[in-house]
mmCIF file of all heavy atoms in Angstrom:
data_model
loop_
_atom_site.group_PDB
_atom_site.id
_atom_site.type_symbol
_atom_site.label_atom_id
_atom_site.label_comp_id
_atom_site.label_asym_id
_atom_site.label_seq_id
_atom_site.Cartn_x
_atom_site.Cartn_y
_atom_site.Cartn_z
ATOM 1 N N ILE A 281 -162.862 71.238 316.909
ATOM 2 C CA ILE A 281 -164.191 70.728 317.310
ATOM 3 C C ILE A 281 -165.287 71.346 316.439
ATOM 4 O O ILE A 281 -166.171 70.691 315.990
ATOM 5 C CB ILE A 281 -164.429 71.109 318.804
ATOM 6 C CG1 ILE A 281 -163.398 70.418 319.677
ATOM 7 C CG2 ILE A 281 -165.824 70.750 319.210
ATOM 8 C CD1 ILE A 281 -163.438 68.904 319.635
ATOM 9 N N GLY A 282 -165.172 72.684 316.250
ATOM 10 C CA GLY A 282 -166.179 73.383 315.433
ATOM 11 C C GLY A 282 -166.301 72.852 314.048
ATOM 12 O O GLY A 282 -167.389 72.593 313.538
ATOM 13 N N ARG A 283 -165.123 72.584 313.417
ATOM 14 C CA ARG A 283 -165.135 72.098 312.045
ATOM 15 C C ARG A 283 -165.827 70.749 311.949
ATOM 16 O O ARG A 283 -166.690 70.514 311.109
ATOM 17 C CB ARG A 283 -163.648 71.980 311.574
ATOM 18 C CG ARG A 283 -163.467 71.668 310.169
ATOM 19 C CD ARG A 283 -163.593 72.941 309.304
ATOM 20 N NE ARG A 283 -164.207 72.591 308.033
ATOM 21 C CZ ARG A 283 -165.390 73.024 307.583
ATOM 22 N NH1 ARG A 283 -166.106 73.868 308.317
ATOM 23 N NH2 ARG A 283 -165.913 72.625 306.450
ATOM 24 N N GLN A 284 -165.445 69.839 312.910
ATOM 25 C CA GLN A 284 -166.084 68.507 312.852
ATOM 26 C C GLN A 284 -167.579 68.583 313.116
ATOM 27 O O GLN A 284 -168.320 67.862 312.488
ATOM 28 C CB GLN A 284 -165.504 67.550 313.878
ATOM 29 C CG GLN A 284 -164.089 67.749 314.210
ATOM 30 C CD GLN A 284 -163.468 66.615 315.024
ATOM 31 O OE1 GLN A 284 -163.961 65.513 315.134
ATOM 32 N NE2 GLN A 284 -162.351 66.927 315.624
ATOM 33 N N MET A 285 -167.969 69.492 313.977
ATOM 34 C CA MET A 285 -169.376 69.556 314.301
ATOM 35 C C MET A 285 -170.131 70.142 313.124
ATOM 36 O O MET A 285 -171.228 69.689 312.812
ATOM 37 C CB MET A 285 -169.631 70.376 315.581
ATOM 38 C CG MET A 285 -169.090 69.623 316.838
ATOM 39 S SD MET A 285 -169.496 70.390 318.385
ATOM 40 C CE MET A 285 -171.171 69.880 318.650
ATOM 41 N N VAL A 286 -169.550 71.152 312.454
ATOM 42 C CA VAL A 286 -170.224 71.724 311.293
ATOM 43 C C VAL A 286 -170.384 70.664 310.228
ATOM 44 O O VAL A 286 -171.419 70.508 309.578
ATOM 45 C CB VAL A 286 -169.429 72.949 310.770
ATOM 46 C CG1 VAL A 286 -169.889 73.345 309.377
ATOM 47 C CG2 VAL A 286 -169.579 74.106 311.747
ATOM 48 N N LEU A 287 -169.331 69.871 309.994
ATOM 49 C CA LEU A 287 -169.401 68.772 309.003
ATOM 50 C C LEU A 287 -170.484 67.816 309.355
ATOM 51 O O LEU A 287 -171.265 67.363 308.512
ATOM 52 C CB LEU A 287 -168.067 68.056 308.917
ATOM 53 C CG LEU A 287 -166.915 68.796 308.214
ATOM 54 C CD1 LEU A 287 -165.631 68.032 308.340
ATOM 55 C CD2 LEU A 287 -167.264 69.028 306.739
ATOM 56 N N ALA A 288 -170.607 67.504 310.657
ATOM 57 C CA ALA A 288 -171.642 66.555 311.112
ATOM 58 C C ALA A 288 -173.034 67.133 310.915
ATOM 59 O O ALA A 288 -173.967 66.411 310.546
ATOM 60 C CB ALA A 288 -171.408 66.196 312.560
ATOM 61 N N VAL A 289 -173.170 68.434 311.084
ATOM 62 C CA VAL A 289 -174.485 69.052 310.866
ATOM 63 C C VAL A 289 -174.816 69.008 309.394
ATOM 64 O O VAL A 289 -175.882 68.600 308.972
ATOM 65 C CB VAL A 289 -174.476 70.535 311.367
ATOM 66 C CG1 VAL A 289 -175.759 71.225 310.956
ATOM 67 C CG2 VAL A 289 -174.308 70.585 312.878
ATOM 68 N N GLN A 290 -173.815 69.428 308.582
ATOM 69 C CA GLN A 290 -174.102 69.567 307.137
ATOM 70 C C GLN A 290 -174.221 68.225 306.430
ATOM 71 O O GLN A 290 -174.710 68.189 305.298
ATOM 72 C CB GLN A 290 -173.000 70.429 306.519
ATOM 73 C CG GLN A 290 -173.159 71.902 306.959
ATOM 74 C CD GLN A 290 -172.031 72.786 306.407
ATOM 75 O OE1 GLN A 290 -170.955 72.295 306.038
ATOM 76 N NE2 GLN A 290 -172.265 74.094 306.374
ATOM 77 N N ALA A 291 -173.763 67.163 307.096
ATOM 78 C CA ALA A 291 -173.945 65.838 306.479
ATOM 79 C C ALA A 291 -175.422 65.486 306.312
ATOM 80 O O ALA A 291 -175.822 64.745 305.426
ATOM 81 C CB ALA A 291 -173.274 64.774 307.370
ATOM 82 N N HIS A 292 -176.264 66.061 307.142
ATOM 83 C CA HIS A 292 -177.668 65.725 307.093
ATOM 84 C C HIS A 292 -178.611 66.887 306.887
ATOM 85 O O HIS A 292 -179.813 66.729 306.674
ATOM 86 C CB HIS A 292 -178.091 64.988 308.339
ATOM 87 C CG HIS A 292 -177.439 63.680 308.542
ATOM 88 N ND1 HIS A 292 -177.673 62.592 307.711
ATOM 89 C CD2 HIS A 292 -176.507 63.219 309.422
ATOM 90 C CE1 HIS A 292 -176.941 61.554 308.099
ATOM 91 N NE2 HIS A 292 -176.216 61.937 309.141
ATOM 92 N N ARG A 293 -178.095 68.135 307.048
ATOM 93 C CA ARG A 293 -178.973 69.266 306.911
ATOM 94 C C ARG A 293 -178.334 70.354 306.080
ATOM 95 O O ARG A 293 -177.123 70.546 306.124
ATOM 96 C CB ARG A 293 -179.257 69.844 308.320
ATOM 97 C CG ARG A 293 -180.309 69.091 309.067
ATOM 98 C CD ARG A 293 -180.464 69.616 310.452
ATOM 99 N NE ARG A 293 -181.099 70.933 310.542
ATOM 100 C CZ ARG A 293 -181.315 71.595 311.650
ATOM 101 N NH1 ARG A 293 -180.882 71.087 312.799
ATOM 102 N NH2 ARG A 293 -181.897 72.782 311.629
ATOM 103 N N ARG A 294 -179.123 71.037 305.275
ATOM 104 C CA ARG A 294 -178.552 72.160 304.478
ATOM 105 C C ARG A 294 -178.646 73.391 305.325
ATOM 106 O O ARG A 294 -179.650 74.083 305.386
ATOM 107 C CB ARG A 294 -179.343 72.295 303.199
ATOM 108 C CG ARG A 294 -179.333 70.999 302.377
ATOM 109 C CD ARG A 294 -180.068 71.132 301.089
ATOM 110 N NE ARG A 294 -179.302 71.862 300.100
ATOM 111 C CZ ARG A 294 -179.797 72.127 298.840
ATOM 112 N NH1 ARG A 294 -181.002 71.743 298.548
ATOM 113 N NH2 ARG A 294 -179.055 72.729 297.975
ATOM 114 N N LEU A 295 -177.524 73.630 306.004
ATOM 115 C CA LEU A 295 -177.458 74.812 306.855
ATOM 116 C C LEU A 295 -176.206 75.573 306.472
ATOM 117 O O LEU A 295 -175.207 74.954 306.091
ATOM 118 C CB LEU A 295 -177.363 74.407 308.317
ATOM 119 C CG LEU A 295 -178.649 74.186 309.138
ATOM 120 C CD1 LEU A 295 -178.311 73.907 310.586
ATOM 121 C CD2 LEU A 295 -179.580 75.394 309.043
ATOM 122 N N SER A 296 -176.242 76.906 306.643
ATOM 123 C CA SER A 296 -175.047 77.678 306.368
ATOM 124 C C SER A 296 -173.994 77.379 307.426
ATOM 125 O O SER A 296 -174.342 76.905 308.523
ATOM 126 C CB SER A 296 -175.395 79.140 306.401
ATOM 127 O OG SER A 296 -175.685 79.548 307.688
ATOM 128 N N GLU A 297 -172.794 77.659 307.095
ATOM 129 C CA GLU A 297 -171.671 77.496 308.043
ATOM 130 C C GLU A 297 -172.015 78.173 309.357
ATOM 131 O O GLU A 297 -171.810 77.601 310.467
ATOM 132 C CB GLU A 297 -170.391 78.109 307.416
ATOM 133 C CG GLU A 297 -169.155 78.052 308.262
ATOM 134 C CD GLU A 297 -168.358 76.778 308.011
ATOM 135 O OE1 GLU A 297 -168.645 76.076 307.024
ATOM 136 O OE2 GLU A 297 -167.443 76.496 308.788
ATOM 137 N N ARG A 298 -172.488 79.405 309.255
ATOM 138 C CA ARG A 298 -172.722 80.160 310.489
ATOM 139 C C ARG A 298 -173.873 79.531 311.301
ATOM 140 O O ARG A 298 -173.693 79.385 312.515
ATOM 141 C CB ARG A 298 -173.100 81.597 310.107
ATOM 142 C CG ARG A 298 -173.480 82.440 311.325
ATOM 143 C CD ARG A 298 -173.912 83.813 310.901
ATOM 144 N NE ARG A 298 -172.761 84.651 310.506
ATOM 145 C CZ ARG A 298 -172.869 85.942 310.259
ATOM 146 N NH1 ARG A 298 -174.005 86.563 310.298
ATOM 147 N NH2 ARG A 298 -171.769 86.649 309.934
ATOM 148 N N ALA A 299 -174.893 79.117 310.653
ATOM 149 C CA ALA A 299 -176.024 78.485 311.374
ATOM 150 C C ALA A 299 -175.609 77.193 312.007
ATOM 151 O O ALA A 299 -175.987 76.837 313.112
ATOM 152 C CB ALA A 299 -177.200 78.300 310.455
ATOM 153 N N ALA A 300 -174.764 76.427 311.276
ATOM 154 C CA ALA A 300 -174.278 75.141 311.817
ATOM 155 C C ALA A 300 -173.414 75.363 313.028
ATOM 156 O O ALA A 300 -173.506 74.610 314.025
ATOM 157 C CB ALA A 300 -173.510 74.390 310.696
ATOM 158 N N ARG A 301 -172.550 76.399 312.969
ATOM 159 C CA ARG A 301 -171.687 76.720 314.112
ATOM 160 C C ARG A 301 -172.521 77.118 315.328
ATOM 161 O O ARG A 301 -172.232 76.732 316.440
ATOM 162 C CB ARG A 301 -170.750 77.869 313.719
ATOM 163 C CG ARG A 301 -169.331 77.429 313.417
ATOM 164 C CD ARG A 301 -168.480 78.641 313.129
ATOM 165 N NE ARG A 301 -167.951 79.236 314.352
ATOM 166 C CZ ARG A 301 -166.788 78.904 314.866
ATOM 167 N NH1 ARG A 301 -166.038 78.035 314.260
ATOM 168 N NH2 ARG A 301 -166.347 79.449 315.960
ATOM 169 N N ALA A 302 -173.563 77.885 315.036
ATOM 170 C CA ALA A 302 -174.416 78.346 316.141
ATOM 171 C C ALA A 302 -175.100 77.124 316.805
ATOM 172 O O ALA A 302 -175.173 77.035 318.025
ATOM 173 C CB ALA A 302 -175.484 79.297 315.625
ATOM 174 N N LEU A 303 -175.515 76.183 315.943
ATOM 175 C CA LEU A 303 -176.157 74.976 316.497
ATOM 176 C C LEU A 303 -175.150 74.188 317.331
ATOM 177 O O LEU A 303 -175.450 73.716 318.436
ATOM 178 C CB LEU A 303 -176.672 74.124 315.320
ATOM 179 C CG LEU A 303 -177.352 72.802 315.754
ATOM 180 C CD1 LEU A 303 -178.664 73.079 316.490
ATOM 181 C CD2 LEU A 303 -177.623 71.945 314.493
ATOM 182 N N ALA A 304 -173.935 74.078 316.830
ATOM 183 C CA ALA A 304 -172.895 73.345 317.498
ATOM 184 C C ALA A 304 -172.596 74.004 318.874
ATOM 185 O O ALA A 304 -172.519 73.299 319.910
ATOM 186 C CB ALA A 304 -171.609 73.261 316.691
ATOM 187 N N ALA A 305 -172.480 75.294 318.906
ATOM 188 C CA ALA A 305 -172.206 76.029 320.133
ATOM 189 C C ALA A 305 -173.322 75.814 321.128
ATOM 190 O O ALA A 305 -173.114 75.637 322.350
ATOM 191 C CB ALA A 305 -171.975 77.487 319.853
ATOM 192 N N GLU A 306 -174.554 75.818 320.623
ATOM 193 C CA GLU A 306 -175.698 75.665 321.536
ATOM 194 C C GLU A 306 -175.678 74.265 322.189
ATOM 195 O O GLU A 306 -175.889 74.124 323.376
ATOM 196 C CB GLU A 306 -176.974 75.853 320.699
ATOM 197 C CG GLU A 306 -178.247 75.821 321.527
ATOM 198 C CD GLU A 306 -179.139 74.660 321.171
ATOM 199 O OE1 GLU A 306 -179.536 74.580 319.960
ATOM 200 O OE2 GLU A 306 -179.424 73.842 322.025
ATOM 201 N N ARG A 307 -175.374 73.239 321.390
ATOM 202 C CA ARG A 307 -175.314 71.896 321.915
ATOM 203 C C ARG A 307 -174.163 71.758 322.944
ATOM 204 O O ARG A 307 -174.327 71.075 323.971
ATOM 205 C CB ARG A 307 -175.102 70.873 320.826
ATOM 206 C CG ARG A 307 -176.304 70.693 319.902
ATOM 207 C CD ARG A 307 -177.468 69.983 320.605
ATOM 208 N NE ARG A 307 -178.487 69.562 319.647
ATOM 209 C CZ ARG A 307 -179.424 70.347 319.198
ATOM 210 N NH1 ARG A 307 -179.518 71.619 319.592
ATOM 211 N NH2 ARG A 307 -180.305 69.952 318.300
ATOM 212 N N LEU A 308 -173.061 72.380 322.661
ATOM 213 C CA LEU A 308 -171.939 72.290 323.614
ATOM 214 C C LEU A 308 -172.301 72.950 324.907
ATOM 215 O O LEU A 308 -171.972 72.452 326.009
ATOM 216 C CB LEU A 308 -170.670 72.928 323.001
ATOM 217 C CG LEU A 308 -169.973 72.200 321.868
ATOM 218 C CD1 LEU A 308 -168.735 72.993 321.415
ATOM 219 C CD2 LEU A 308 -169.508 70.821 322.310
ATOM 220 N N THR A 309 -172.942 74.099 324.829
ATOM 221 C CA THR A 309 -173.370 74.807 326.015
ATOM 222 C C THR A 309 -174.324 73.913 326.846
ATOM 223 O O THR A 309 -174.207 73.828 328.046
ATOM 224 C CB THR A 309 -174.128 76.118 325.654
ATOM 225 O OG1 THR A 309 -173.260 76.837 324.769
ATOM 226 C CG2 THR A 309 -174.376 76.957 326.890
ATOM 227 N N ARG A 310 -175.212 73.265 326.109
ATOM 228 C CA ARG A 310 -176.192 72.394 326.747
ATOM 229 C C ARG A 310 -175.485 71.252 327.526
ATOM 230 O O ARG A 310 -175.976 70.810 328.549
ATOM 231 C CB ARG A 310 -177.129 71.823 325.658
ATOM 232 C CG ARG A 310 -178.279 71.037 326.160
ATOM 233 C CD ARG A 310 -179.255 71.893 326.910
ATOM 234 N NE ARG A 310 -180.130 71.103 327.756
ATOM 235 C CZ ARG A 310 -179.803 70.525 328.861
ATOM 236 N NH1 ARG A 310 -178.568 70.660 329.309
ATOM 237 N NH2 ARG A 310 -180.675 69.848 329.560
ATOM 238 N N LEU A 311 -174.346 70.856 326.992
ATOM 239 C CA LEU A 311 -173.575 69.764 327.663
ATOM 240 C C LEU A 311 -172.674 70.290 328.731
ATOM 241 O O LEU A 311 -171.786 69.589 329.232
ATOM 242 C CB LEU A 311 -172.785 68.996 326.582
ATOM 243 C CG LEU A 311 -173.355 67.682 326.140
ATOM 244 C CD1 LEU A 311 -173.397 66.660 327.272
ATOM 245 C CD2 LEU A 311 -174.757 67.806 325.588
ATOM 246 N N GLY A 312 -172.796 71.558 329.105
ATOM 247 C CA GLY A 312 -172.034 72.092 330.186
ATOM 248 C C GLY A 312 -170.609 72.422 329.832
ATOM 249 O O GLY A 312 -169.716 72.404 330.702
ATOM 250 N N ILE A 313 -170.329 72.756 328.581
ATOM 251 C CA ILE A 313 -169.005 73.204 328.219
ATOM 252 C C ILE A 313 -169.000 74.721 328.242
ATOM 253 O O ILE A 313 -169.699 75.391 327.489
ATOM 254 C CB ILE A 313 -168.614 72.667 326.827
ATOM 255 C CG1 ILE A 313 -168.514 71.138 326.909
ATOM 256 C CG2 ILE A 313 -167.314 73.313 326.354
ATOM 257 C CD1 ILE A 313 -168.158 70.498 325.633
ATOM 258 N N PRO A 314 -168.220 75.286 329.184
ATOM 259 C CA PRO A 314 -168.227 76.719 329.305
ATOM 260 C C PRO A 314 -167.596 77.425 328.114
ATOM 261 O O PRO A 314 -166.699 76.849 327.461
ATOM 262 C CB PRO A 314 -167.406 76.986 330.605
ATOM 263 C CG PRO A 314 -166.624 75.746 330.775
ATOM 264 C CD PRO A 314 -167.307 74.618 330.091
#
Side-chain angles (χ1 to χ4, degrees):
Chain A
I281 297 298
R283 190 79 215 115
Q284 327 192 19
M285 292 187 81
V286 166
L287 287 174
V289 172
Q290 290 176 338
H292 295 293
R293 279 174 73 181
R294 301 181 78 180
L295 272 184
S296 69
E297 179 91 11
R298 177 183 285 188
R301 259 183 84 92
L303 180 66
E306 185 245 300
R307 290 288 193 277
L308 288 180
T309 308
R310 187 67 198 75
L311 260 294
I313 294 179

